[in-house]
Amino acid sequence: MGELETEAQKSRSEVAASLREVADQLDGDGDVTLELGETTVAMTPSEPITFKLEGESDWSEGDTEAKQSIEFELVWWREAHTADEGTLDIRE
């Protein structure tokens, strides 16, 4: 159980490097480790993985800018018979 999230402004190149790192880990057989600020979360994706990709634009009358975003979401299920078995592996 649980959710951790971080948000930071980065250059396009820094974002691409982060995505490549996750992709390389996902391509292997082990954990996918995410660095969220000073906290690390390790997850072990199982097959199959549902991949959600969304593009969005938000603009209102009178605005001088439109917010645009790309969202990636990966979802999988893991066996868990207790809350502890379903909890994120958080390392600080």
Side-chain angles (χ1 to χ4, degrees):
M1 307 264 232
E3 179 178 322
L4 290 176
E5 186 176 318
T6 188
E7 185 174 317
Q9 290 191 355
K10 297 183 177 192
S11 69
R12 290 171 59 137
S13 182
E14 290 170 323
V15 171
S18 294
L19 291 172
R20 278 188 204 94
E21 184 177 332
V22 170
D24 288 345
Q25 291 181 55
L26 190 60
D27 202 27
D29 291 329
D31 287 350
V32 171
T33 303
L34 306 174
E35 292 182 22
L36 304 171
E38 295 185 18
T39 303
T40 302
V41 177
M43 305 173 89
T44 307
S46 60
E47 306 257 2
I49 296 174
T50 300
F51 178 54
K52 179 181 176 182
L53 180 59
E54 182 179 334
E56 186 177 352
S57 183
D58 186 19
W59 180 86
S60 296
E61 188 70 38
D63 285 351
T64 59
E65 295 180 313
K67 174 185 168 187
Q68 296 186 328
S69 64
I70 300 171
E71 294 182 24
F72 301 90
E73 184 176 1
L74 306 174
V75 179
W76 62 91
W77 297 94
R78 68 182 253 189
E79 189 173 325
H81 300 282
T82 66
D84 284 342
E85 291 175 338
T87 301
L88 291 175
D89 181 6
I90 301 170
R91 303 170 191 158
E92 297 192 46

